[in-house]
Amino acid sequence: MALENGAWDYLEKPPAYDDVKLTLKRALQFRDNKMVSPTREGFKSDFIIGRSPVLKKCLDLVAKSARTDGNLFISGETGTGKDLIANAVHLNSERSGAPFIAVDCTNLPDTLVENLLFGHAKGAFTGAVDKNEGLIKQADKGTLFLDEIGDLSTAAQKSILRVLQTKTFRPLGMNKELSCDFRLISATNRDLQAMVKQRTFRKDLFYRLVTHHIHLPPLRERPDDIVLLADYYMEKICAQFGIRPKAMSDDFIDTLMVYDWKGNIRELISVLHAAVASGLNEPRLNPHHLPVALRIFSRKKTWEEQRPLERGIENGLGTDETGFPSLKDFRHLNESQYLDALVRLSGGHIEKACSMAGVSRSGLYHLLEKHNKKLNP
């Protein structure tokens, strides 16, 4: 659990002195090497929007993967931007000057998969009046991106596995095999390990895919990026409509922040499209411009979050004698609502507010500025 959450290492109690010394030495060496060679120096990623810690950690892995040539596997929920990450790896790799060939595996029928991937010779079958270069050959010296690889049929998996093992393939109707040098990037929103156990995905292919693994966090785990993404796509959407960029009210943003975004960034873009269309002739977007289902969900969630805040006060949680819950206890709640209650119950006194929330003076001022609030009740 510690390693999965980013720990460098762990020690069993009681730790031996030599073990502690060796672990610290290795950690310091790693830190020194990291400071000498910045992970993302010169890394091109302007098209990836976000500054949240989880995304920055992910981009560090992307930068490291771009400097290698091993097969890369990208996992994540639908709409998290797996195709953008694949593009970023290619653009920052030594293969950036060669083609980037993207293949949607959901559109590879068994009857056409070999023809689409390997191509065919002239006269290979009825209607093959010309030679066709398959997608594999088109990716020569570049990158082959197999998107939604979890949707590949068993037959297609076998064909892909052989190409990865030998880096050769035979177009339909040809007597000789051709070689191809490409870097493979694959992605899926499915659990391939579970599919391997269920024998719906080949184990040998799975281990070929995952030389490097990057897991993209869902949008609900990076709420700080929602405003940045909304600003970025609002400008693009308004340009598509041929209108000036629209302002978004605080209530509009708050509603977006509360929503769970099961469809992630792709769903956010769709919702912003709907909001712009709804408020086409208005300069500012408000919550009533959002889809009704989203507004209902956000209101219900806000109400449910207020209840534990009230129960926390009643049950005496927190660091202050008033029993107000600390920010650490309720970090998962809407910060804006928490600050409103904190300001009101502290009477606007900075020392009392800091004591109640369990944060430093500078930390509280930072939060107040972030949500455009003042300490005065």
Side-chain angles (χ1 to χ4, degrees):
M1 185 184 297
L3 295 177
E4 286 178 351
N5 283 279
W8 168 261
D9 203 347
Y10 64 91
L11 296 166
E12 296 182 2
K13 295 188 292 186
Y17 171 75
D18 288 342
D19 291 340
V20 175
K21 184 178 178 181
L22 180 61
T23 300
L24 289 174
K25 181 179 179 181
R26 288 173 175 170
L28 290 170
Q29 287 175 343
F30 171 77
R31 177 178 178 273
D32 290 342
N33 292 334
K34 192 173 182 181
M35 292 176 69
V36 171
S37 303
T39 304
R40 285 193 276 149
E41 185 177 1
F43 184 72
K44 302 172 186 175
S45 61
D46 294 343
F47 50 91
I48 300 176
I49 309 301
R51 294 196 297 261
S52 61
V54 289
L55 183 63
K56 288 181 178 179
K57 185 177 180 180
C58 182
L59 290 178
D60 286 341
L61 293 175
V62 173
K64 290 178 182 178
S65 298
R67 294 202 299 266
T68 68
D69 206 41
N71 295 336
L72 170 64
F73 175 65
I74 307 172
S75 60
E77 296 179 7
T78 182
T80 49
K82 297 184 287 294
D83 54 338
L84 289 180
I85 296 299
N87 265 292
V89 171
H90 174 72
L91 288 174
N92 290 278
S93 72
E94 294 184 354
R95 296 177 180 267
S96 59
F100 176 83
I101 304 300
V103 182
D104 184 357
C105 295
T106 59
N107 294 324
L108 285 179
D110 286 346
T111 54
L112 297 176
V113 63
E114 290 195 354
N115 186 25
L116 290 170
L117 291 177
F118 307 142
H120 61 257
K122 181 179 179 180
F125 51 84
T126 303
V129 294
D130 292 309
K131 175 185 176 182
N132 177 55
E133 195 175 60
L135 296 170
I136 297 288
K137 190 60 178 176
Q138 291 177 28
D140 192 25
K141 308 302 181 186
T143 301
L144 179 66
F145 175 45
L146 297 181
D147 196 11
E148 301 303 343
I149 196 170
D151 292 336
L152 277 181
S153 66
T154 304
Q157 291 175 33
K158 184 177 179 180
S159 299
I160 292 292
L161 176 63
R162 186 179 182 283
V163 176
L164 293 180
Q165 290 173 331
T166 65
K167 287 298 175 77
T168 61
F169 65 97
R170 180 180 296 171
L172 298 177
M174 287 190 67
N175 296 324
K176 66 175 184 178
E177 291 193 331
L178 303 178
S179 62
C180 188
D181 172 28
F182 61 87
R183 197 251 178 102
L184 178 70
I185 301 178
S186 56
T188 185
N189 60 3
R190 304 179 69 176
D191 187 346
L192 288 195
Q193 287 184 311
M195 293 177 67
V196 168
K197 292 179 181 179
Q198 297 164 4
R199 298 188 177 182
T200 56
F201 197 88
R202 295 181 65 107
K203 181 189 293 186
D204 45 5
L205 177 57
F206 174 75
Y207 290 122
R208 284 275 178 181
L209 299 176
V210 192
T211 304
H212 305 284
H213 180 202
I214 294 175
H215 180 74
L216 290 185
L219 189 54
R220 61 182 171 275
E221 291 182 7
R222 35 183 292 215
D224 293 342
D225 292 340
I226 291 177
V227 177
L228 294 175
L229 288 163
D231 286 338
Y232 175 78
Y233 285 108
M234 180 62 69
E235 185 173 349
K236 295 187 68 173
I237 292 168
C238 288
Q240 292 173 10
F241 276 86
I243 59 177
R244 296 178 62 183
K246 291 184 177 296
M248 294 176 283
S249 69
D250 291 342
D251 290 344
F252 183 93
I253 293 295
D254 287 344
T255 305
L256 296 181
M257 296 284 286
V258 173
Y259 191 58
D260 63 350
W261 302 111
K262 293 290 180 61
N264 295 290
I265 300 172
R266 191 175 298 157
E267 185 182 10
L268 174 63
I269 296 171
S270 178
V271 164
L272 293 175
H273 264 285
V276 171
S278 176
L280 194 60
N281 298 319
E282 301 178 43
R284 180 184 296 271
L285 296 179
N286 294 293
H288 67 268
H289 293 121
L290 292 166
V292 174
L294 186 150
R295 289 156 53 197
I296 291 174
F297 177 93
S298 298
R299 290 296 295 271
K300 288 176 66 176
K301 187 175 180 182
T302 299
W303 178 73
E304 290 170 356
E305 288 177 345
Q306 287 174 338
R307 293 178 64 194
L309 181 61
E310 295 169 356
R311 286 198 299 268
I313 297 172
E314 294 171 358
N315 295 334
L317 295 176
T319 59
D320 187 77
E321 64 275 4
T322 63
F324 190 80
S326 69
L327 180 61
K328 181 180 178 181
D329 293 329
F330 286 86
R331 194 75 194 221
H332 63 288
L333 298 180
N334 186 301
E335 283 184 347
S336 179
Q337 295 172 348
Y338 180 92
L339 290 172
D340 287 338
L342 178 65
V343 170
R344 185 176 66 255
L345 295 177
S346 67
H349 299 292
I350 181 63
E351 292 183 1
K352 186 174 183 180
C354 290
S355 175
M356 292 170 68
V359 297
S360 65
R361 183 185 291 254
S362 61
L364 181 57
Y365 278 127
H366 172 73
L367 285 172
L368 290 168
E369 183 179 357
K370 174 183 173 182
H371 292 279
N372 196 26
K373 296 183 182 296
K374 296 182 179 180
L375 199 59
N376 296 327

